[in-house]
Amino acid sequence: MNQPVSESTDVDVVVVGGGPAGSTVASFVAMQGGRVLLLEKESFPRYQIGESLLPSTTEWICGLLGVADEVEAAGFQTKTGGTFLWGASPDPWSFTFATDTHRGRHAFQVERMKFDKILLDNARRVGVEVREQCGVRDVISDEERIRGVRYTDADGVEHTVTAKFVVDASGNTSRIRKHVGGTRELAEYFRNIAVFGYFEGGKRMAPPRKGNITCAAFGGGWFWYIPLTDELTSVGAVVPAEMADKIQNDREATLKQFISESPMISDFLSDARRVTEGPYGEVRVRKDYSYSNTRFWRPGMTLVGDAACFVDPLFSTGVYLATYSGLLAARSINSVLSGRVDEQRAFAESEFRHRREYNLYYEFLQAVYDTHQDETSYFWTAKKLTGSTVSEADSFSYLTAGLGAGEYTSLGGGPDAAPRKRVRGPDEDAAMRAFWEGRTAEFTSGNHPDANHLQLDGDNHQRLLRTIEAGWRTRPDRLTVSADSMYWQEPEPEPVVSGPAPEAG
């Protein structure tokens, strides 16, 4: 077990924030022997939105963390997919995460107070020094790099922590993210505002769709309807940002009005009552939640989770992108601490993959927000974006399960387990390469920018995605992932195929 942190703190890594992104990166570094201090401003359990998870988190990353069985046994509502009243079709349509090759794939609808505490308690078990009620005020830096942080504990005492790396996992309201440089660019296409509350006694669909998330479009926007338990439901309306003033004037009345405009949600809540006490008793509002920073890293510091970016809640990718970015950052830190890869190259790789995944879902969501199409068009878009050789419906299932990265998927076990089965097989990888080579020819000409230095250009994410993918396929120094998923490593050299010697003469 790693040694506890003393008051004269000098650690390998200080992680700011104990949510899924923070606990994930902290755990993966500690599991490889790193000395990690995690500072969380609140005391767990605490309320948080983002209750609908994806199999990529609950099966793969929780499997690597060693908590997949604990999450499975926690009594959360099983989520097999989603039901949508969306697009040109007048009737609801559904999808599942399961496919012919992964029949049991599922996720969970979770109360984040419970789920996040499972991850944070696990971080403690694997050797992370966790300090709650500790608010980070500033970073320590010089011209070369970030060197640590200053924080205040629950008694108001100020402390200084020096570290080889600082990880900002403190969410979209981060006070220190600006120290990596760059700016935060709002996603103009998703300039929405969400107003939401919690209800008891809402209706459920018949099994096996009982635990599905329901997304229902209505005249002013769309609803999420998330069954957290047999009684408790998270209900939220997502509408254009121009309605912010109306919502802020009377949140509860506005939510009621939106519900009355959706026949489907009105029916689901016809016998329900809104929760008015406790952590779920407030009608809450979130705005300006779709964005990406133009930089995710500088020497000594990296952003993960919502501190780096967030796209849109329609397909529940928030916790997945948070935990995936935590894994990416941990790989970079582990690789640098072990001397396997230099810092610039390691973090260029993690930022590149994080940004690539964000843009993949951005473009997918942008296509799905075209409500003049039907579900077959959305399935086709998923197949197009992933370059998959499986059916359109299975491509949609893979993408909505959070498997767009094409890495390993875990059905249980920790970091010492056997390598996971790849989401895409060799034939599909070849199709993926061919697809993006076609995109390169179509949308770029000649010289491609170095993907390590790409910056966001306002809301022009489609162009950026194409440019990134062109760089992804042509960049000669791309790193690969170790068998245990914890490190970057050099790619294996391409096999040399030798033919018969040329005939003389």
Side-chain angles (χ1 to χ4, degrees):
M1 186 62 68
N2 299 339
Q3 294 297 314
V5 175
S6 67
E7 287 303 308
S8 56
T9 307
D10 184 7
V11 298
D12 292 318
V13 183
V14 57
V15 177
V16 183
S23 58
T24 295
V25 64
S27 296
F28 283 143
V29 174
M31 289 160 69
Q32 301 305 308
R35 194 161 179 240
V36 185
L37 173 65
L38 187 150
L39 302 172
E40 166 57 47
K41 68 179 180 180
E42 298 187 56
S43 180
F44 278 41
R46 54 86 176 97
Y47 171 82
Q48 186 58 270
I49 190 62
E51 300 111 338
S52 196
L53 304 187
L54 302 182
S56 50
T57 292
T58 59
E59 292 184 356
W60 173 34
I61 293 179
C62 285
L64 293 172
L65 289 169
V67 297
D69 290 343
E70 186 176 356
V71 172
E72 188 82 33
F76 296 129
Q77 175 66 62
T78 299
K79 173 186 176 184
T80 60
T83 295
F84 276 53
L85 180 60
W86 194 277
S89 174
D91 300 315
W93 51 274
S94 297
F95 68 91
T96 67
F97 298 134
T99 64
D100 288 341
T101 54
H102 296 280
R103 294 183 183 277
R105 180 175 286 144
H106 64 277
F108 298 99
Q109 317 284 19
V110 301
E111 294 181 76
R112 287 284 301 277
M113 290 183 290
K114 299 177 182 179
F115 176 76
D116 290 9
K117 191 173 187 301
I118 289 173
L119 298 189
L120 190 62
D121 287 346
N122 181 68
R124 289 187 174 96
R125 284 196 298 270
V126 299
V128 177
E129 181 77 10
V130 177
R131 296 183 180 177
E132 299 180 65
Q133 295 183 289
C134 292
V136 172
R137 305 303 179 192
D138 201 359
V139 303
I140 303 165
S141 64
D142 55 32
E143 292 183 358
E144 293 183 353
R145 62 188 296 113
I146 301 294
R147 304 285 183 180
V149 301
R150 297 183 180 89
Y151 75 94
T152 303
D153 65 22
D155 297 322
V157 179
E158 294 188 357
H159 302 265
T160 297
V161 184
T162 57
K164 294 173 181 147
F165 295 101
V166 172
V167 178
D168 182 8
S170 57
N172 67 334
T173 59
S174 167
R175 301 178 61 176
I176 63 172
R177 63 174 175 80
K178 62 181 182 293
H179 292 286
V180 302
T183 59
R184 173 173 288 184
E185 300 286 349
L186 295 176
E188 294 296 332
Y189 194 85
F190 299 110
R191 290 296 297 274
N192 296 324
I193 184 169
V195 54
F196 54 97
Y198 295 81
F199 292 79
E200 290 182 337
K203 293 181 181 179
R204 298 289 182 262
M205 288 182 286
R209 298 172 182 170
K210 176 182 176 182
N212 275 13
I213 184 173
T214 297
C215 295
F218 70 105
W222 63 272
F223 269 98
W224 76 68
Y225 188 92
I226 303 173
L228 298 177
T229 69
D230 286 344
E231 284 294 315
L232 183 65
T233 308
S234 172
V235 181
V238 177
V239 297
E242 291 75 25
M243 304 195 72
D245 289 342
K246 176 182 178 181
I247 292 172
Q248 294 289 8
N249 287 338
D250 193 331
R251 299 179 180 185
E252 181 162 15
T254 305
L255 180 58
K256 286 182 178 179
Q257 176 61 37
F258 290 152
I259 291 171
S260 72
E261 296 175 19
S262 170
M264 186 176 190
I265 302 301
S266 294
D267 176 62
F268 282 1
L269 296 176
S270 59
D271 297 322
R273 70 170 187 88
R274 190 178 72 78
V275 178
T276 57
E277 297 179 349
Y280 298 122
E282 179 183 349
V283 175
R284 292 177 165 91
V285 170
R286 292 287 188 276
K287 62 179 181 178
D288 293 338
Y289 51 71
S290 295
Y291 55 84
S292 180
N293 289 281
T294 57
R295 295 186 64 178
F296 290 175
W297 168 81
R298 64 165 286 189
M301 182 175 176
T302 190
L303 309 180
V304 296
D306 291 0
C309 59
F310 186 88
V311 57
D312 183 87
L314 183 61
F315 285 110
S316 309
T317 54
V319 175
Y320 161 56
L321 287 175
T323 53
Y324 179 56
S325 67
L327 172 60
L328 293 174
R331 285 175 184 162
S332 294
I333 293 169
N334 291 338
S335 299
V336 176
L337 291 179
S338 64
R340 301 186 185 198
V341 182
D342 69 80
E343 184 176 357
Q344 168 70 34
R345 194 168 175 210
F347 281 94
E349 187 70 39
S350 59
E351 176 168 348
F352 175 79
R353 294 190 184 219
H354 188 185
R355 200 179 292 285
R356 171 180 175 268
E357 195 75 349
Y358 170 87
N359 280 281
L360 172 64
Y361 284 102
Y362 189 104
E363 188 163 350
F364 178 52
L365 283 157
Q366 193 171 23
V368 174
Y369 261 82
D370 181 358
T371 56
H372 295 94
Q373 307 297 320
D374 61 18
E375 61 268 30
T376 58
S377 175
Y378 306 143
F379 294 171
W380 179 86
T381 296
K383 183 177 176 69
K384 181 186 75 168
L385 288 174
T386 59
S388 175
T389 59
V390 299
S391 70
E392 285 86 352
D394 279 1
S395 299
F396 189 89
S397 293
Y398 282 136
L399 200 51
T400 54
L403 302 177
E407 292 198 36
Y408 298 104
T409 179
S410 171
L411 299 179
D416 295 327
R420 275 58 178 169
K421 182 178 180 181
R422 287 186 60 83
V423 173
R424 292 190 293 264
D427 291 343
E428 290 174 275
D429 280 338
M432 188 84 165
R433 285 194 297 273
F435 170 75
W436 286 118
E437 286 168 1
R439 278 220 148 183
T440 300
E442 182 179 357
F443 294 108
T444 63
S445 57
N447 298 320
H448 307 306
D450 182 352
N452 294 352
H453 305 292
L454 284 173
Q455 303 291 311
L456 287 180
D457 181 16
D459 67 336
N460 196 359
H461 291 263
Q462 289 195 46
R463 184 197 60 79
L464 179 64
L465 176 64
R466 293 161 185 147
T467 307
I468 284 179
E469 287 296 348
W472 173 265
R473 297 304 171 192
T474 60
R475 193 177 60 166
D477 61 341
R478 173 186 170 193
L479 296 170
T480 60
V481 182
S482 62
D484 64 1
S485 214
M486 294 294 106
Y487 297 89
W488 301 124
Q489 62 186 20
E490 297 295 338
E492 295 183 4
E494 294 289 335
V496 177
V497 179
S498 58
E503 294 183 5

